[in-house]
C-alpha cells in the first residue's frame, strides 16, 4: 500500500500539489493558470482523447459491468443535482456541475495513468472503458448541456459553437475512425502522443494554482458533497457490482475508479462558462487529498 502511494499515486498528485503551492506563494497567478487551463482543455485534450477513442477495442468491454457503473452514475448525479438545486439553493448550471463532480472522476488525467503504472494497460482495461465512456458520452452531454443552459445567443449560433468545439470534434472523429476501422498514420499518432501527454500534467498544475485561491475550510455543501463523492458513489458501485455481478473481474477497478477524486472537468467547464465555482473548487481539493489513502488501499 505504501509503495503504491509513493511510487504511483503521489507522483501524479504532485502536479496538482505543485500548482497549489506555487499559487499560494504567488509565483504563478490565477490569470496565467486560467490561460493554461484553456490551452490544456481546447488544444491538448483533443489529441489525447481522439486516439483513445479511435483505438477502443469494444468487443473486449464487459458491457454488463459497464452498464451497472453507468446506472450508478445516473442515480448519483440525479440525487446530487437535486440536492444542490433544492436543498442548497444553487442555480441550475452550478447544480448540474456539482452533480457532474460526483460522477466525473479524474479518470483520464489521474486514475488512468495511476492504474496503468500499477497494472499495465491491459490490466487497466476496466478503467479504460470508463475513460472511453466518460470521454465520448458523459463529457459530450455536459458540454452540450452547459452550452444550452448558459447560451444567450440564438439557437443557430449555439449549435455552431457545439459543432465546432475541439473536444467534441475529437470525440466525433475518434468514433468515426473506430467504426470504420481506419488507423491513424504513425506520424499523426506520434504527434498526438507528444501533445496529449502534456494535457494531464498541465491541467492538474493549472487546477492546483486556481484552487490555491480558494479557502480550505469546508462549508456544509463542500463537506456534504465530498462525502457523497468519496463514500456514497463508490459504495453504490461496489454494491451494484457485488449484488448483480458477483465475482466479476472488473468490480475492483470500477470501485477504485469510483473512489477517485472529483475530476478537473466540472471546474474547467465552470471557468469556461463563467459559472460559480466556490463549492466545486474546494470539493476537488478535499476529494483529491482524502482519496490518496483510499486509492492506495483499494489499489
Amino acid at each position: 500500500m505504501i509503495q503504491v502511494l509513493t511510487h504511483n499515486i503521489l507522483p501524479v498528485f504532485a502536479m496538482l500539489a505543485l500548482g497549489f503551492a506555487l499559487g499560494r506563494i504567488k509565483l504563478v497567478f490565477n490569470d496565467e493558470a486560467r490561460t493554461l487551463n484553456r490551452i490544456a482543455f481546447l488544444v491538448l485534450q483533443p489529441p489525447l482523447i481522439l486516439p483513445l477513442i479511435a483505438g477502443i477495442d469494444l468487443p473486449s468491454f464487459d458491457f454488463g459491468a459497464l452498464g451497472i457503473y453507468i446506472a450508478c452514475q445516473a442515480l448519483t448525479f440525479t440525487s446530487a443535482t437535486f440536492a444542490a438545486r433544492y436543498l442548497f439553493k444553487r442555480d441550475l448550471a452550478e447544480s448540474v456541475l456539482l452533480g457532474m463532480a460526483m460522477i466525473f472522476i479524474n479518470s483520464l488525467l489521474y486514475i488512468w495513468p495511476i492504474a496503468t503504472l500499477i497494472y499495465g494497460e491491459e490490466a487497466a482495461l476496466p478503467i479504460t472503458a470508463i475513460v472511453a465512456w466518460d470521454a465520448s458520452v458523459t463529457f459530450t452531454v455536459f458540454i452540450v448541456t452547459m452550452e444550452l443552459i448558459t447560451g444567450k445567443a440564438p439557437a443557430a449560433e449555439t449549435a455552431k459553437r457545439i459543432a465546432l468545439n475541439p473536444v467534441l470534434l475529437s470525440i466525433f472523429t475518434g468514433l468515426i475512425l473506430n467504426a470504420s476501422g481506419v488507423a491513424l498514420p504513425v506520424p499523426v499518432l506520434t504527434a498526438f502522443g507528444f501533445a496529449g501527454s502534456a494535457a494531464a500534467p498541465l491541467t492538474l498544475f493549472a487546477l492546483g494554482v486556481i484552487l490555491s485561491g480558494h479557502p480550505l475550510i469546508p462549508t456544509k455543501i463542500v463537506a456534504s458533497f465530498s462525502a457523497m463523492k468519496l463514500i456514497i458513489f463508490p459504495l453504490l458501485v461496489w454494491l451494484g457490482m457485488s449484488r448483480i455481478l458477483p465475482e466479476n473481474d472488473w468490480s475492483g477497478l470500477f470501485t477504485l475508479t469510483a473512489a477517485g477524486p472529483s475530476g478537473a472537468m466540472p471546474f474547467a467547464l465552470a471557468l469556461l462558462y463563467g459559472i460559480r465555482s466556490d463549492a466545486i473548487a474546494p470539493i476537488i481539493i478535499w476529494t483529491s487529498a482524502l482519496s490518496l489513502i483510499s486509492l492506495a488501499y483499494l489499489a
Side-chain angles (χ1 to χ4, degrees):
M1 173 176 166
I2 298 299
Q3 183 171 345
V4 170
L5 177 64
T6 57
H7 287 61
N8 304 114
I9 297 176
L10 286 179
V12 178
F13 178 78
M15 286 305 297
L16 178 67
L18 178 63
F20 189 89
L22 295 184
R24 279 289 192 185
I25 64 175
K26 305 300 181 184
L27 190 61
V28 182
F29 295 97
N30 193 281
D31 289 344
E32 295 170 329
R34 287 174 182 267
T35 300
L36 291 177
N37 178 77
R38 184 172 179 81
I39 292 172
F41 185 83
L42 296 176
V43 179
L44 300 178
Q45 285 207 50
L48 175 67
I49 292 173
L50 193 155
L52 172 68
I53 295 177
I56 292 172
D57 182 15
L58 289 176
S60 66
F61 283 9
D62 185 335
F63 287 100
L66 186 59
I68 294 172
Y69 185 88
I70 293 169
C72 293
Q73 277 187 320
L75 180 58
T76 304
F77 168 76
T78 302
S79 302
T81 303
F82 182 89
R85 184 79 171 123
Y86 297 105
L87 297 181
F88 292 97
K89 308 300 181 183
R90 300 299 176 118
D91 65 28
L92 180 59
E94 185 188 7
S95 297
V96 170
L97 289 184
L98 283 167
M100 180 185 182
M102 298 301 98
I103 65 166
F104 202 91
I105 289 80
N106 212 340
S107 53
L108 179 61
L109 304 177
Y110 193 75
I111 302 296
W112 190 47
I114 289 172
T116 302
L117 284 172
I118 298 173
Y119 303 109
E121 291 189 11
E122 291 186 6
L125 181 62
I127 295 177
T128 303
I130 293 174
V131 169
W133 164 259
D134 281 343
S136 61
V137 179
T138 310
F139 197 31
T140 301
V141 168
F142 280 112
I143 293 177
V144 173
T145 300
M146 287 301 103
E147 287 282 357
L148 294 176
I149 291 176
T150 63
K152 298 179 181 178
E157 186 175 335
T158 300
K160 181 180 179 180
R161 286 183 50 170
I162 294 172
L164 295 179
N165 184 289
V167 177
L168 296 183
L169 285 173
S170 67
I171 292 169
F172 181 68
T173 304
L175 291 172
I176 292 177
L177 292 174
N178 189 293
S180 63
V182 175
L184 288 168
V186 173
V188 173
L189 284 174
T190 301
F192 279 14
F194 180 71
S197 62
L202 191 62
T203 299
L204 291 172
F205 177 81
L207 180 62
V209 175
I210 296 168
L211 294 180
S212 69
H214 291 265
L216 292 178
I217 299 175
T219 61
K220 186 179 294 185
I221 187 172
V222 170
S224 300
F225 276 72
S226 296
M228 183 182 298
K229 171 66 212 65
L230 293 176
I231 300 173
I232 303 301
F233 183 45
L235 180 61
L236 191 61
V237 170
W238 177 78
L239 285 173
M241 292 296 297
S242 61
R243 299 296 182 187
I244 300 174
L245 291 176
E247 308 301 328
N248 186 278
D249 293 338
W250 284 29
S251 179
L253 283 173
F254 271 12
T255 304
L256 173 72
T257 303
S262 294
M265 289 305 101
F267 188 74
L269 290 177
L271 293 181
L272 284 174
Y273 292 99
I275 297 166
R276 180 179 177 182
S277 62
D278 62 314
I280 297 172
I283 288 170
I284 295 174
I285 294 175
W286 280 102
T287 57
S288 295
L290 295 175
S291 65
L292 289 175
I293 303 302
S294 58
L295 287 177
Y297 176 78
L298 290 172

